[in-house]
Amino acid sequence: MISRLPSLSRTTFSRARHALFAAAFVLSAGPALAQGTLRIGMTASDIPLTTGQTDQGGEGMRFMGYTVYDALINWDLSSADKPSVLVPGLATEWKVDDADKTRWVFKLRPGVKFHDGSDFKADAVVWNLDKILNDKSPQYDPKQASQGRSRIPAVKSYKVIDDQTVEIVTKTPDAFLPYQMAWIMMSSPAQWEKVGKNWNEFAKTPSGTGPWKLAAFVPSTRAELVPNKEYWDARRVPKLDKMVLLPLPEPSSRTAALRSGQVDWIEAPSPDAVPSLEKAGLKLVTNAYPHNWTWHLSMVDGSPWKDVRVRKAANLAIDRAGLKTLLNGLMIPAKGFVTPGSQWFGNPAFEVKYDPAAAKKLLAEAGFGPDKPLKAKILISASGSGQMQPLPMNEYIQQNLADVGIKVEFDVVEWNALINIWRAGAKADLSKGASGMNYSYFIQDPFTAFIRHLDSTLVAPNGTNWGFYADPAMDALFEKARTTFDAKEQDKVLQQIHEKIVDDALFLFVTHDVNPRAMSPKVTGFVQAQNWFQDFSPIVMK
């Protein structure tokens, strides 16, 4: 449900409610737990969906996706010093057919078992693709489909070749299929049968192949994960006895829980609390990683953002250096959609910088001024995966834009509700006429960085081009990138795509997160990968 607020000053009651709610969660954790137990305060307001394809955005995948489950292709999360790359998961190898660039063959890892003891084989892969793509299959799950279908738009068909081999055919040649398959979690068909072919029952006792097993689960309150001692990769068998997940959406509540010793680790601590946390001997861990924090702008008829001059003016109105001060340095000011220094950045002609005078000039050229301010309604969340500190950050941006003549009204929406609105598209009733939304994006592969947001064929219900952007020139670049299988040549095309994104100011480019986490000094062994996802297996408690 959307709560309409004219400005963020009206969110006081919501903050208090979240603080009380979060405090109740922490208290339910009870006294300090035994050595070897890690208690984590998440930014999510609920435990992520446990059936395989998680909700709660990237945080859901981090804590309930790549823990309990595996994909055919996983991410290497072992290094803090270099960007993550794709590595074999439940598939040991994959290759596109040289004679038919739409046909891919995946060789599966032998001897893998689900948590329930059943075998992982090729028929399980087909079963899991059907659960999100085939609404005529008995195991089709609308909840998981809503999370996973948009992640694999390239897939046309799939079939078993033998017990250890699967064929996947794409609609057109698509070099990005491996990145898409890394999103699809493999649930146990045998466990689904065992619980009466009911996904709600499966959620209570889920079964994947991942390094962690879900041992206990109370919706909205807590989840307890324990090691899968028989995990197929011995190097990633967890060292902890237990990991406990607690939803704590309010930053001050997360911070208070860490200070009091009721949790050992929190995601996204309050920036203003960082100095005192460090003074108290608590650790702050950060790393640059492929992520951005933007406003996704609508291009539907009637949206003020259809005019490129307005989009550029908004980008020139943001004082990113001041925002960095507000966040106690915990950000990288945006120069575009990808991070400065990315191999895909290119050389855009439009410079994203703070120039309010130039912003006012562009607005005047577009027909706006002191007597005719531009007005916009923007959807934002109060917390959520990758959303950093959305209330104070958006309030800051609201003031920046007001200074140049753009009046912004916010609708504050719970994070999972915002995700559903994003999938529904800007034309849906759910969007209630909003012309933009604040959304943080995972940008570590070409499909999730660019294509899913801007491909004209991926508007709702086919994908997550929320703003209904359509440009034949961009579509042509996407097609060229998809059909370029040489990595170096592909990077050149991706640079052209990013240059067009910046030069056309297709988003409000604000910042890149450094993914801050605060934790007890008892937490050792954690390596913060340059990735939205993380590996909890090496962690030990002193």
Side-chain angles (χ1 to χ4, degrees):
M1 180 177 180
I2 299 175
S3 117
R4 290 181 178 76
L5 301 177
S7 74
L8 283 174
S9 62
R10 297 283 299 278
T11 64
T12 304
F13 172 77
S14 176
R15 291 176 181 173
R17 180 187 62 192
H18 278 304
L20 290 171
F21 197 46
F25 287 164
V26 173
L27 290 174
S28 73
L33 298 171
Q35 186 79 4
T37 295
L38 173 66
R39 299 158 299 170
I40 296 178
M42 302 185 299
T43 69
S45 60
D46 198 355
I47 298 298
L49 189 65
T50 62
T51 46
Q53 297 305 132
T54 68
D55 59 2
Q56 301 291 341
E59 189 174 42
M61 289 290 286
R62 182 186 307 139
F63 288 117
M64 198 62 72
Y66 290 107
T67 48
V68 178
Y69 298 92
D70 285 305
L72 293 181
I73 301 171
N74 288 344
W75 288 98
D76 180 0
L77 303 175
S78 63
S79 174
D81 302 324
K82 56 186 179 183
S84 297
V85 295
L86 295 177
V87 293
L90 293 176
T92 57
E93 58 182 284
W94 53 94
K95 188 178 186 300
V96 67
D97 190 325
D98 290 334
D100 179 0
K101 295 294 188 182
T102 67
R103 181 178 180 269
W104 293 75
V105 174
F106 291 76
K107 293 290 186 180
L108 305 186
R109 188 175 300 278
V112 175
K113 291 186 179 295
F114 287 102
H115 298 158
D116 58 88
S118 61
D119 293 328
F120 170 77
K121 292 184 178 179
D123 57 357
V125 177
V126 170
W127 188 91
N128 273 276
L129 290 170
D130 274 345
K131 82 180 179 184
I132 59 176
L133 295 178
N134 181 4
D135 61 6
K136 300 297 189 294
S137 67
Q139 69 270 28
Y140 178 75
D141 181 11
K143 288 183 180 179
Q144 292 189 76
S146 70
Q147 305 299 328
R149 179 185 288 272
S150 65
R151 299 292 188 186
I152 50 172
V155 174
K156 177 183 179 182
S157 64
Y158 37 89
K159 69 179 183 180
V160 172
I161 294 179
D162 58 45
D163 278 353
Q164 301 302 131
T165 313
V166 173
E167 174 190 278
I168 297 179
V169 176
T170 57
K171 297 167 186 173
T172 61
D174 196 327
F176 303 135
L177 179 69
Y179 292 110
Q180 295 180 32
M181 294 308 300
W183 283 95
I184 306 307
M185 302 291 101
M186 296 291 148
S187 311
S188 167
Q191 180 70 357
W192 182 77
E193 294 272 354
K194 181 180 177 181
V195 298
K197 301 182 179 181
N198 185 307
W199 282 112
N200 290 330
E201 291 301 313
F202 185 98
K204 299 173 185 177
T205 55
S207 176
T209 64
W212 297 86
K213 297 180 179 181
L214 184 63
F217 165 48
V218 181
S220 301
T221 303
R222 63 193 282 120
E224 297 183 3
L225 282 69
V226 297
N228 174 14
K229 298 294 188 182
E230 289 76 41
Y231 187 56
W232 54 264
D233 185 350
R235 298 168 301 175
R236 292 193 60 223
V237 173
K239 296 180 179 180
L240 290 166
D241 297 319
K242 185 186 294 184
M243 183 163 67
V244 179
L245 307 177
L246 300 166
L248 295 171
E250 172 60 40
S252 61
S253 296
R254 289 196 301 277
T255 303
L258 181 63
R259 286 186 194 280
S260 66
Q262 293 182 346
V263 298
D264 310 296
W265 164 314
I266 60 172
E267 300 282 284
S270 303
D272 57 359
V274 167
S276 63
L277 288 173
E278 292 182 318
K279 188 175 181 180
L282 296 161
K283 297 190 297 185
L284 183 74
V285 181
T286 64
N287 202 354
Y289 77 124
H291 163 279
N292 64 32
W293 193 96
T294 70
W295 281 10
H296 195 147
L297 307 175
S298 171
M299 303 298 175
V300 303
D301 290 343
S303 170
W305 309 111
K306 287 195 74 172
D307 191 323
V308 66
R309 295 169 297 185
V310 171
R311 300 195 301 268
K312 287 185 174 180
N315 272 287
L316 293 171
I318 307 305
D319 180 6
R320 294 166 186 82
L323 184 60
K324 186 172 184 176
T325 299
L326 176 71
L327 294 175
N328 207 18
L330 298 177
M331 62 168 271
I332 299 171
K335 288 289 187 180
F337 202 66
V338 298
T339 50
S342 165
Q343 72 270 33
W344 304 327
F345 195 90
N347 293 289
F350 176 58
E351 183 181 359
V352 177
K353 61 181 180 179
Y354 182 47
D355 190 341
K360 291 178 181 178
K361 182 179 179 182
L362 283 168
L363 286 172
E365 291 175 5
F368 299 98
D371 297 329
K372 186 186 176 183
L374 185 149
K375 296 180 180 180
K377 181 193 294 184
I378 306 296
L379 293 155
I380 69 172
S381 65
S383 64
S385 168
Q387 291 294 88
M388 300 177 69
Q389 308 296 328
L391 296 179
M393 291 171 72
N394 277 302
E395 188 173 38
Y396 183 92
I397 291 170
Q398 183 183 49
Q399 184 58 57
N400 277 176
L401 294 177
D403 289 344
V404 301
I406 300 175
K407 292 187 176 181
V408 171
E409 170 192 354
F410 291 125
D411 277 5
V412 183
V413 181
E414 191 272 330
W415 173 231
N416 231 26
L418 189 66
I419 294 173
N420 291 334
I421 295 169
W422 172 62
R423 290 198 172 97
K427 293 181 180 180
D429 290 342
L430 282 175
S431 291
K432 301 296 183 182
S435 64
M437 65 162 55
N438 166 220
Y439 212 100
S440 56
Y441 284 128
F442 172 99
I443 52 171
Q444 70 189 40
D445 71 75
F447 175 75
T448 55
F450 305 134
I451 295 174
R452 65 174 175 155
H453 308 305
L454 299 170
D455 188 319
S456 66
T457 68
L458 295 181
V459 298
N462 299 322
T464 52
N465 178 349
W466 177 80
F468 284 80
Y469 170 81
D471 185 329
M474 185 68 86
D475 285 344
L477 286 172
F478 288 155
E479 181 63 17
K480 186 176 181 181
R482 271 190 287 254
T483 55
T484 302
F485 288 80
D486 178 83
K488 290 184 178 180
E489 291 303 311
Q490 187 184 89
D491 281 349
K492 293 178 183 178
V493 183
L494 294 170
Q495 288 172 5
Q496 295 175 50
I497 289 169
H498 186 254
E499 289 167 356
K500 184 169 176 57
I501 289 172
V502 178
D503 289 343
D504 291 350
L506 297 181
F507 299 82
L508 183 64
F509 311 111
V510 181
T511 185
H512 303 282
D513 195 1
V514 293
N515 214 8
R517 297 179 166 97
M519 59 191 71
S520 163
K522 294 180 180 179
V523 180
T524 63
F526 175 58
V527 176
Q528 180 145 313
Q530 294 183 27
N531 195 295
W532 196 301
F533 312 125
Q534 299 296 326
D535 186 4
F536 304 99
S537 294
I539 297 172
V540 295
M541 300 291 289
K542 284 185 179 178

